[in-house]
Amino acid sequence: MFRTALRNVLAHKARLLMTVLAVMLGVAFVSGTLIFTDTYTNSSSSQKAKSFAHVDVQVDPDPNHYSDSPGISRKTLEEVARVDGVAEAAGRVDGLAYVSDRDGGLIGGAFNSGANYAPGKNGKDPLYAFTEGGGPTEAMQIALDKDSADKGGYHVGDTVPVALTGPAKKYKLSGIFTTEDQLVAGGGSLVLFDTPSAQRLYLQPGFFENVTVTAAPGVSSTKLAAAIGKVLPDSAKAETGQQLADAEAKLAEGDASLLSGILLAFAGVALFVNVFLIANTFTMLAAQRTRELALLRAVGASRRQVTRSVLIEAMVVGAAGAVAGLGLGAVMAAIAQSVVDFGGGKLPDGPLIVTSTTVLVSAFVGVLVTMVAAWLPARRAAKIPPVAAISSAHLPSTIRSLILRNVFGGILTLLGAAVVVAGAGTGGSRGAMIVGFGAFLAVIGVLVLIPLLSRPVIALVRPLLRRGFGVSGTLAGQNAVRNPRRTGATASALAIGLTLVSALTVLGVTVGQSMDRMTTDIVKADYMITTTAVDLDTSAVAAVRKLPGVRAVSPEQQSWMQIDGIQEDVTAIAPAEFDKALDLPVVSGSQGTLAKGQIAVAEDEARSHGWKVGDTLPAVYGDSGKKRRVTVGAIFESNEVVFPVVVSADVIESTLAASLSKIYVKTDGSTDRKALADALPGRPGIKIDDQQAIRNEFSGTYDAALNVLYALLAISLAIAVLGVVNTLAMSVFERQREVGMLRAVGLDRRGVTRMIQLEAVVISLFGAVIGIGVGSFLGWAVCEIVKADIPGYALVLPWGRFALFLLLAALVGLLAAMWPARNASRLNMLMAIKTD
């Protein structure tokens, strides 16, 4: 039977090609995810190990011991340097530094750092290798990493604009270096200052963020760390470079695991879609090989042997798909490694890591999914009676009673829908779990019911097909409902993908439009100035105020307070001009009380803590530790424009003086974006949004997230397309004689092509309608759960996008039918009529 199974695979290799491709895509998603995350984890660990290669021991402030010292003192550094076994001890200071290119643009993306150059006894700093020039030795000199220098076109002796706070200052470039610093390896920039300048800019003269120690030859870093620990104050601790590298690597591994989990969830969807394609393929193969399987039974093969033969075929197909999928997954991981923007920077370089676990998982997944999907068709094939071998033609397909299946599917669907509704009414995390369970039951129930649903749903369009396309349309409608199981299995693959897409679209569009309405209602300013780099400062506010045509400038600062023992994020504003830029949606009290030193609290926050207008509460102002009592002067509708607590900047000015996050600008229409940009020169990363851009800033995130999710579901939809192609191709082969008869009685090639195309379009649209319907219901349920967190919630059904999904489904049907329709139209009618 094993040899028979192999011969059958080779005999039907063309008909199994789409199945192999589908398995390959599903396995590629799984293996690509595993390879990518393993590669990222390995390269990140290697990079972190390199960044600590010249550090045997590092001394850091101990977060478990409070100290009023700003860092590690010079006295502690000198004591560390005197410990036996220490060859070098260097004090380190670091912070943010933003480098501009020659056009004023930001170099380094999301990672922009500054540090001090700390040469040792030999006049060199082991962390940096200079390719040109040397380290900075005076206040207005800097050194720059090679990648950033190349991006900016800078050479030693050039003047380089560098910003920390406020406008950029001009520094002379003393040298260009290479480094194993992980931020630079990730695509960021690194600026080196001389030590006194770095201390003044980032910390305090005489203090360091940490101390790096190089051990003398032959000295164990572990023992040296223990010896250094004995001379340190309680507020500091010593760790080996290996410990620090391992801790950083563990963090990277956690990030990779989270990413892997998300991607594997979408891979699971793709594999689930695969099941329908594979089951459909083997069901049709069994139907087409009725005589062959019956002959096996007639010559003595048992039902178990026939089942085993079909499962062996599935195993071979799954193994072939798994091997191809592993190769494709490696290619996908390599492409992702080179093009994926990870948090604003590039991924660390490193070889692709293909572990034995990835190989085994790929093989297991490919073979297991294929064999599980082929199990039911194998059992049906085993039940073909030996008497079927006597017939001179394939036995007509018999449709078993669907009553039991339909009853089971109906109960499951109704139960799932009821659970979803109950979960939507419950809300919160518990409600989300209930909705998830109900959604699983409902989707499975609908998939079980799809064959039953195919007849009435497709019957609605059959008159349109008949009137619009004549004989071809009539035949296409009949073919689409001839075998409900086959139609249902083919449509199920598209239905699953579009269920997820539709649910996500309902949620995303509902949230996005709610955010858009909220932004439109609240933000009255014409422009919003933000920055991806240097913090805005009071000089920027003053510069904008001087522009002609500016009617109001409302700076926004961000920090935190403890109110009534609860830590709250705080937005600090200038009350005098705030109401001209933002219209806070006050529910009770008055926005004007902000000018009196009172606070405004978001409605959800006030409700959860039992606060109301007029309450006087104890407060601690951020890191300053200052205590006073504050009065709730207003309660406003929760929104995403401001934090849950709004106060006047005057109230906590000492805490928030250097944390300006936004500047809202109201004009008389004569001031444009260019004028604002010209008023704020030398600030790399400055961003000036008009009203439309402000709306996109708050609501566009959801569209971007939706696009990412659509991309992750693309492979599932591609597998669904392969399912349509496969079903039609095998159906054409199965109906060769029928097609020949149609040609013989006058249906021309164009009519045959149109018939196959219309059948594909009808099946695709049927799957799309089911998917959109179920997805909309699940999207509503999810929106009901999170509506408390959506300001101005109102459910939105995106009919325009649904219409686009239907149009794309029809297009998918047309494209999927191209090859089968071409083959059908080119059949020789006489040979087709002769076919058994």
Side-chain angles (χ1 to χ4, degrees):
M1 295 304 292
F2 183 77
R3 288 195 298 270
T4 301
L6 290 179
R7 290 194 191 101
N8 283 331
V9 171
L10 294 175
H12 302 102
K13 54 183 178 290
R15 278 175 271 176
L16 290 169
L17 176 62
M18 294 298 172
T19 305
V20 173
L21 288 175
V23 175
M24 178 187 74
L25 289 175
V27 171
F29 206 152
V30 174
S31 62
T33 296
L34 296 176
I35 293 171
F36 178 75
T37 52
D38 287 342
T39 298
Y40 170 72
T41 301
N42 179 74
S43 57
S44 294
S45 299
S46 299
Q47 184 58 53
K48 286 170 177 32
K50 287 179 183 177
S51 67
F52 288 102
H54 298 288
V55 178
D56 292 306
V57 178
Q58 182 166 301
V59 178
D60 290 289
D62 189 343
N64 297 319
H65 288 82
Y66 174 77
S67 173
D68 55 4
S69 172
I72 307 296
S73 67
R74 179 167 294 280
K75 179 183 176 182
T76 301
L77 168 63
E78 292 169 352
E79 290 177 351
V80 168
R82 288 195 292 266
V83 173
D84 288 342
V86 172
E88 293 275 3
R92 304 289 177 183
V93 184
D94 57 62
L96 296 176
Y98 303 92
V99 185
S100 297
D101 59 24
R102 296 184 184 278
D103 297 323
L106 179 65
I107 296 176
F111 307 122
N112 313 92
S113 54
N116 66 312
Y117 179 67
K121 296 173 185 176
N122 62 357
K124 296 180 179 179
D125 190 327
L127 300 185
Y128 312 106
F130 280 83
T131 58
E132 293 181 49
T137 57
E138 55 187 65
M140 297 308 291
Q141 286 185 344
I142 61 162
L144 192 60
D145 69 277
K146 189 175 187 305
D147 285 347
S148 297
D150 290 343
K151 290 174 185 175
Y154 294 123
H155 301 281
V156 172
D158 287 351
T159 298
V160 180
V162 178
L164 279 76
T165 57
K169 295 181 180 179
K170 301 294 183 67
Y171 292 84
K172 185 176 181 180
L173 186 60
S174 66
I176 297 172
F177 60 88
T178 59
T179 178
E180 297 295 346
D181 183 278
Q182 54 191 317
L183 293 182
V184 174
S189 64
L190 176 59
V191 179
L192 295 182
F193 301 90
D194 67 289
T195 296
S197 296
Q199 288 177 318
R200 185 180 67 255
L201 292 170
Y202 295 126
L203 201 59
Q204 187 174 312
F207 288 90
F208 303 93
E209 298 279 355
N210 55 61
V211 173
T212 58
V213 177
T214 304
V219 177
S220 164
S221 58
T222 304
K223 292 181 179 178
L224 184 58
I228 291 173
K230 294 176 181 178
V231 304
L232 295 178
D234 291 339
S235 59
K237 63 177 182 176
E239 293 178 285
T240 66
Q242 187 61 52
Q243 287 176 315
L244 294 169
D246 291 344
E248 292 284 344
K250 192 171 183 179
L251 289 174
E253 188 176 345
D255 293 339
S257 296
L258 177 62
L259 176 64
S260 175
I262 295 171
L263 293 176
L264 287 176
F266 284 92
V269 174
L271 291 170
F272 186 54
V273 171
N274 250 324
V275 169
F276 294 92
L277 187 157
I278 297 165
N280 217 16
T281 299
F282 280 94
T283 297
M284 295 179 73
L285 278 176
Q288 293 169 13
R289 290 159 49 196
T290 299
R291 285 190 66 195
E292 176 188 327
L293 295 172
L295 279 170
L296 287 174
R297 293 294 314 282
V299 298
S302 66
R303 286 188 174 186
R304 181 174 296 177
Q305 285 177 311
V306 173
T307 301
R308 192 182 307 141
S309 172
V310 176
L311 289 178
I312 289 171
E313 292 178 41
M315 182 183 70
V316 173
V317 169
V323 171
L326 180 62
L328 179 60
V331 172
M332 291 168 61
I335 294 172
Q337 186 186 20
S338 61
V339 303
V340 169
D341 184 337
F342 202 67
K346 64 182 182 180
L347 295 178
D349 292 329
L352 280 182
I353 303 298
V354 183
T355 65
S356 57
T357 300
T358 299
V359 175
L360 291 174
V361 168
S362 300
F364 179 76
V365 166
V367 173
L368 180 68
V369 168
T370 310
M371 292 184 70
V372 167
W375 182 70
L376 279 176
R379 288 199 61 189
R380 292 195 194 104
K383 293 179 181 179
I384 295 174
V387 71
I390 301 172
S391 174
S392 61
H394 296 303
L395 290 178
S397 299
T398 59
I399 302 177
R400 289 183 359 186
S401 172
L402 295 175
I403 294 177
L404 183 62
R405 173 175 178 156
N406 294 338
V407 169
F408 174 71
I411 292 173
L412 206 59
T413 302
L414 290 174
L415 178 62
V419 173
V420 168
V421 171
T426 303
S429 57
R430 184 166 176 268
M433 293 177 62
I434 295 173
V435 166
F437 177 65
F440 175 76
L441 294 179
V443 169
I444 297 298
V446 169
L447 294 179
V448 172
L449 280 177
I450 272 189
L452 174 66
L453 297 173
S454 64
R455 287 184 180 276
V457 173
I458 294 176
L460 295 174
V461 299
R462 286 177 65 179
L464 298 177
L465 294 174
R466 184 172 58 252
R467 285 195 290 268
F469 301 96
V471 174
S472 296
T474 301
L475 292 172
Q478 292 174 350
N479 289 336
V481 295
R482 177 186 296 182
N483 190 328
R485 290 181 186 273
R486 181 186 304 168
T487 298
T490 306
S492 293
L494 271 174
I496 293 167
L498 282 174
T499 293
L500 292 173
V501 167
S502 299
L504 291 170
T505 301
V506 169
L507 175 62
V509 171
T510 296
V511 174
Q513 291 200 15
S514 295
M515 295 292 295
D516 187 63
R517 285 193 301 271
M518 173 201 70
T519 306
T520 303
D521 292 342
I522 295 176
V523 179
K524 298 191 294 184
D526 297 305
Y527 297 98
M528 180 178 73
I529 302 172
T530 56
T531 176
T532 58
V534 184
D535 283 341
L536 297 167
D537 60 0
T538 54
S539 68
V541 177
V544 172
R545 276 205 175 104
K546 292 178 182 177
L547 286 175
V550 171
R551 294 173 53 193
V553 179
S554 178
E556 178 184 301
Q557 300 170 298
Q558 297 177 349
S559 187
W560 61 274
M561 294 171 60
Q562 277 193 356
I563 301 176
D564 203 16
I566 301 158
Q567 183 166 314
E568 299 283 359
D569 291 325
V570 173
T571 294
I573 53 90
E577 297 177 283
F578 177 69
D579 59 349
K580 298 174 184 175
L582 298 174
D583 186 12
L584 206 60
V586 173
V587 175
S588 60
S590 170
Q591 182 172 318
T593 57
L594 291 171
K596 301 175 183 177
Q598 298 182 5
I599 66 172
V601 182
E603 189 174 18
D604 290 346
E605 202 71 16
R607 186 186 305 114
S608 64
H609 302 310
W611 299 338
K612 58 184 183 298
V613 172
D615 286 353
T616 300
L617 307 168
V620 179
Y621 290 167
D623 293 325
S624 69
K626 293 181 179 178
K627 298 180 180 180
R628 60 172 292 178
R629 299 185 71 81
V630 294
T631 300
V632 179
I635 293 177
F636 59 90
E637 291 179 11
S638 302
N639 60 77
E640 298 294 324
V641 177
V642 295
F643 281 150
V645 175
V646 178
V647 303
S648 168
D650 297 336
V651 175
I652 46 177
E653 183 177 355
S654 60
T655 308
L656 300 176
S659 58
L660 259 174
S661 58
K662 299 183 183 76
I663 301 174
Y664 291 101
V665 183
K666 184 71 176 175
T667 72
D668 61 7
S670 63
T671 302
D672 58 13
R673 183 184 294 171
K674 184 178 183 305
L676 291 170
D678 291 342
L680 301 169
R683 288 177 169 85
I686 200 78
K687 190 165 177 276
I688 302 173
D689 293 334
D690 58 17
Q691 288 185 332
Q692 184 58 51
I694 293 172
R695 293 168 65 182
N696 295 340
E697 181 79 19
F698 288 102
S699 61
T701 305
Y702 298 96
D703 275 338
L706 269 182
N707 291 334
V708 171
L709 295 174
Y710 289 162
L712 292 174
L713 288 169
I715 289 184
S716 302
L717 295 174
I719 293 172
V721 173
L722 289 178
V724 178
V725 175
N726 203 35
T727 299
L728 289 173
M730 297 182 72
S731 177
V732 166
F733 178 84
E734 194 176 87
R735 302 191 323 239
Q736 286 186 70
R737 189 171 186 180
E738 176 187 317
V739 172
M741 290 294 294
L742 290 172
R743 292 292 314 283
V745 297
L747 189 65
D748 59 11
R749 288 186 173 182
R750 182 176 296 177
V752 171
T753 299
R754 189 180 299 122
M755 176 185 72
I756 302 296
Q757 289 174 335
L758 289 172
E759 181 181 350
V761 169
V762 167
I763 293 174
S764 297
L765 286 174
F766 169 59
V769 167
I770 297 297
I772 291 171
V774 176
S776 298
F777 172 64
L778 297 181
W780 162 82
V782 176
C783 287
E784 284 294 305
I785 290 174
V786 301
K787 68 179 182 181
D789 300 320
I790 305 175
Y793 166 77
L795 180 69
V796 178
L797 292 178
W799 298 111
R801 296 200 188 193
F802 288 166
L804 178 61
F805 295 161
L806 290 173
L807 181 63
L808 290 176
L811 181 61
V812 161
L814 282 174
L815 294 176
M818 287 178 64
W819 178 47
R822 180 174 177 272
N823 290 342
S825 66
R826 294 190 175 190
L827 281 175
N828 184 297
M829 69 179 73
L830 295 178
M831 294 297 294
I833 293 171
K834 254 180 73 176
T835 302
D836 282 342

